[in-house]
Amino acid sequence: MCQSEARRGPELRAAKWLHFPQLALRRRLGQLSCMSRPTLKLRSWPLTVLYYLLPFGALRPLSRVGWRPVSRVALYKSVPTRLLSRAWGRLNQVELPHWLRRPVYSLYIWTFGVNMKEAAVEDLHHYRNLSEFFRRKLKPQARPVCDLHSVISPSDGKILNFGQVKNCEVEQVKGVTYSLESFLGPRTCTDEPPFPPAASCDSFKQQLVTRAGNELYHCVIYLAPGDYHCFHSPTDWTVSHRRHFPAVGATNVGSIRIYFDRNLHTNSPRYSKGSYNDFSFVTHANKEGIPMRKGEHLGEFNLGSTIVLIFEAPKDFNFKLKPGQKIRFGEALGSL
């Protein structure tokens, strides 16, 4: 009995010696329960940045003592993206000196592969700032509109995802798959809600379809910095309602402009993050809304973004696309 206790004595001392550094590390890392939540976040944030930047998971051994890095989503949310986007938009509106415009725009053209032969104004000195150059217009014949199909691409860009809306989801918008209802926004309790009440996701989807036998389709188009950044009407339709999400948009997008909607001011501090803002174009004087013709100018991005097109079409609608392919405004997305 005494021998057994004698043998266990060194083991216990060794165990205490091994646990002591863990206790010290937990105390240093702020993992003890006595630390307040703000202090925990303050101490964990710098290590989290290093955790995602250093190669080969150099800080992963810290997880053995109870430290956990902040998730990438939480880390991204902590960055003041709206403030940075507004600042970037202001910076791109600064007027450049006449002598500096050609070298600055030439560098941009070389970096992003801009085809200036398509531009309505090829003279680089014409554009007073980078924002004007970014939303440059094209020559009328540069983008012929396809007349043989019901839906055309509203912009230049790269096809990320497309297909029929399944499981009430919009696939991979900036790496995230959204439910159809969360993407379009919550239903309101106004007299004329934009989307009628639905008991389930499937019924919500069906209530968006106006004709029997039709289905919902989606297409996601990414606009690169060198692309033409105006967007157009993809088909003949009537705009009756607009919903603006201040928190949805690409980082470093200065603003989005809709030509017929003078009340829309995107990337503005007056809108709270996470809210949505509705506006109806149906009035007593205009009970139809705003008619749009296929190919007509609809709006522009002041710095890059992504278009998510959700539309209704018959069940025999077939996309003529491949994931990752480049497409230009006016080209057909599919056929009946």
Side-chain angles (χ1 to χ4, degrees):
M1 194 69 177
C2 292
Q3 290 180 352
S4 176
E5 292 178 355
R7 290 175 182 173
R8 289 164 60 185
E11 293 178 0
L12 289 174
R13 286 194 296 270
K16 290 181 179 179
W17 183 82
L18 288 173
H19 281 84
F20 177 76
Q22 293 187 10
L23 182 63
L25 280 172
R26 287 193 182 102
R27 183 182 294 112
R28 297 290 294 179
L29 294 172
Q31 298 299 318
L32 297 182
S33 60
C34 61
M35 303 297 296
S36 64
R37 185 176 295 274
T39 304
L40 288 175
K41 290 184 178 180
L42 183 63
R43 291 198 177 189
S44 182
W45 205 86
L47 284 176
T48 297
V49 174
L50 292 176
Y51 179 86
Y52 290 121
L53 293 180
L54 291 177
F56 308 113
L59 295 182
R60 288 183 181 176
L62 293 179
S63 62
R64 298 176 183 175
V65 297
W67 176 76
R68 293 292 183 271
V70 178
S71 69
R72 293 178 186 267
V73 175
L75 191 65
Y76 183 77
K77 285 183 177 179
S78 64
V79 178
T81 52
R82 298 184 71 198
L83 179 61
L84 293 175
S85 294
R86 285 194 291 268
W88 187 253
R90 295 285 179 86
L91 179 63
N92 282 273
Q93 292 177 2
V94 175
E95 184 171 347
L96 296 176
H98 193 272
W99 60 270
L100 190 59
R101 295 176 187 178
R102 179 173 289 278
V104 169
Y105 300 145
S106 297
L107 178 62
Y108 190 98
I109 291 170
W110 178 80
T111 303
F112 298 109
V114 179
N115 185 4
M116 285 303 294
K117 292 183 179 180
E118 298 178 334
V121 180
E122 298 185 35
D123 183 11
L124 299 181
H125 293 104
H126 170 79
Y127 304 99
R128 296 173 298 174
N129 51 52
L130 188 59
S131 181
E132 284 189 0
F133 177 77
F134 190 84
R135 60 178 190 267
R136 63 195 176 278
K137 301 298 187 291
L138 297 182
K139 296 173 182 176
Q141 67 273 19
R143 297 289 186 274
V145 176
C146 180
D147 293 328
L148 302 179
H149 304 274
S150 59
V151 181
I152 62 171
S153 175
S155 69
D156 290 4
K158 182 172 71 173
I159 301 296
L160 298 185
N161 285 288
F162 62 91
Q164 186 176 328
V165 175
K166 297 181 179 179
N167 300 321
C168 295
E169 291 180 340
V170 182
E171 299 178 5
Q172 292 294 310
V173 182
K174 301 183 184 298
V176 179
T177 296
Y178 295 88
S179 70
L180 188 62
E181 190 167 1
S182 64
F183 186 79
L184 295 177
R187 296 180 297 274
T188 61
C189 297
T190 57
D191 294 335
E192 296 181 356
F195 306 113
S200 66
C201 180
D202 288 333
S203 60
F204 178 84
K205 173 184 172 182
Q206 292 301 321
Q207 287 175 352
L208 296 177
V209 179
T210 60
R211 293 185 180 181
N214 284 3
E215 292 289 344
L216 284 183
Y217 299 86
H218 77 280
C219 183
V220 183
I221 306 172
Y222 165 72
L223 287 76
D227 289 331
Y228 165 62
H229 270 76
C230 292
F231 50 93
H232 301 247
S233 175
T235 189
D236 297 338
W237 63 306
T238 301
V239 184
S240 60
H241 189 90
R242 177 260 291 165
R243 172 166 282 182
H244 171 217
F245 294 86
V248 176
T251 304
N252 292 336
V253 171
S255 63
I256 300 173
R257 180 185 174 193
I258 302 296
Y259 296 136
F260 62 78
D261 191 353
R262 296 182 180 180
N263 295 315
L264 179 63
H265 301 281
T266 66
N267 207 3
S268 172
R270 68 166 134 172
Y271 297 117
S272 59
K273 189 174 181 179
S275 65
Y276 63 92
N277 303 270
D278 291 333
F279 184 84
S280 178
F281 297 102
V282 177
T283 63
H284 293 290
N286 182 11
K287 297 183 179 180
E288 294 280 332
I290 298 179
M292 296 293 300
R293 303 291 296 175
K294 182 169 65 174
E296 185 178 352
H297 274 86
L298 183 56
E300 62 187 30
F301 294 109
N302 294 325
L303 297 180
S305 194
T306 300
I307 287 181
V308 182
L309 185 64
I310 301 177
F311 60 95
E312 175 186 355
K315 292 183 179 180
D316 57 351
F317 180 85
N318 294 313
F319 283 100
K320 303 296 183 181
L321 304 172
K322 295 180 180 180
Q325 81 169 70
K326 293 287 292 184
I327 197 167
R328 304 204 302 178
F329 154 63
E331 296 178 349
L333 292 179
S335 61
L336 296 174

